[in-house]
Amino acid sequence: MLDVSVLVYPGMSAFETGIVTEVFGLPRPEFDRPWYRLVVCAPSAAPVPMIGGATLTTPFGLADFAAADTVIVPGVADVHRDPPAAVLDALRAAHDRGARILSICSGAFALAAAGLLDGRRATTHWRYADLLRRRFPAVHVDPGVLYLADGDVWTSAGSAAGLDLCLHVVRADHGAAIANAVARRLVVQPHRDGGQAQYIEAPMPADVGDDRIARSVDWALAHLAEPLSVDVLARQAHMSPRTYLRHFTRTTGTSPIRWLIRQRVQASLALLESTDTPIEQIAAAVGFDTPVTFRHHFAATMRTSPSAYRQAFRTERSAAGR
């Protein structure tokens, strides 16, 4: 699966194509193994206009796009309309040949229009999930994940989740140590299994407009290891529990308890990544009553276990030391 192609289209952002280029296009002489060969392809020979006024030209067309081992659609020009028939034919031809098909963000609409997602689980950016489900009812849309691999068709959520998916490809092709090394060079986490829900709900805006809520939030972050409840937080804000719950939800978009769980899981990540502290002690240090409760909420938030998350970073440290 070393030959990779990515499709460009009018009105595109350079970001998604840049993700693909960074992961698959840059030479990696530090790895003692063959690396990917990337071609950037366009539907026609005409220059492709991009956001910001730039244009892109490439000698590679749809025949080159369909001939690759891994074929990537980083988005579509319009989620309400199907891509050109020639693009859909190229996707079908690649799939019929046995290519691995990937989409980033709204690129899932192209895969669905080509019929490649029928009967499969797929994801896209959360803001497009309902539209994808309505337009293509044969697709099992899961808006809660960062990426999905269903057989030989892989899809990712919003633009940045395309980086997670591309690193997952490297992990599948070359193993965790190589994928972690690539992630380290990109200065990103090698294994980010959390879903989109954390971004949809916006657990805590950067600017909390209500000073009383902000003070209680700051206090809670400094006392995560202690038993915390709505009553305790409400007292810090000098409100009744009912009033506090209403103000907190209106200000942050989530409930105090759900926000608190998320903060405790986030606080555990640094301990898992950088220490050998037992899971039981980490659970207590960030405020969970039991290790079982910690594992449950960690898995629900991060879509992996604390031990598996730690192992990903141990693998990275091991690779860095060689």
Side-chain angles (χ1 to χ4, degrees), residues 25-26 52 91-92 109 132 172 202 251 293:
L26 293 182
L91 283 169
R92 296 184 190 107
F109 284 83
L132 182 64
T251 302
T293 304

Side-chain angles (χ1 to χ4, degrees), residues 9 20 28 36 62 91 109 111 140 148 175 182 184 195-196 208 223 231 233 244-245 274 282 288 313:
Y9 58 91
V20 176
R28 304 286 179 181
Y36 301 96
L62 290 178
L91 283 169
F109 284 83
L111 273 55
H140 304 302
L148 275 172
V182 174
R184 189 166 56 250
Q196 292 193 78
V208 178
H223 297 81
D231 288 352
L233 296 176
Y244 181 81
L245 181 60
S274 60
I282 291 177
F288 286 105
F313 281 85

Side-chain angles (χ1 to χ4, degrees), residues 288-298:
F288 286 105
D289 292 337
T290 68
V292 173
T293 304
F294 172 49
R295 290 187 177 96
H296 169 76
H297 288 301
F298 192 97

Side-chain angles (χ1 to χ4, degrees), residues 159-184:
S159 299
L163 185 54
D164 297 283
L165 179 60
C166 290
L167 288 173
H168 186 61
V169 169
V170 176
R171 190 181 304 115
D173 292 346
H174 297 284
I178 297 295
N180 291 347
V182 174
R184 189 166 56 250

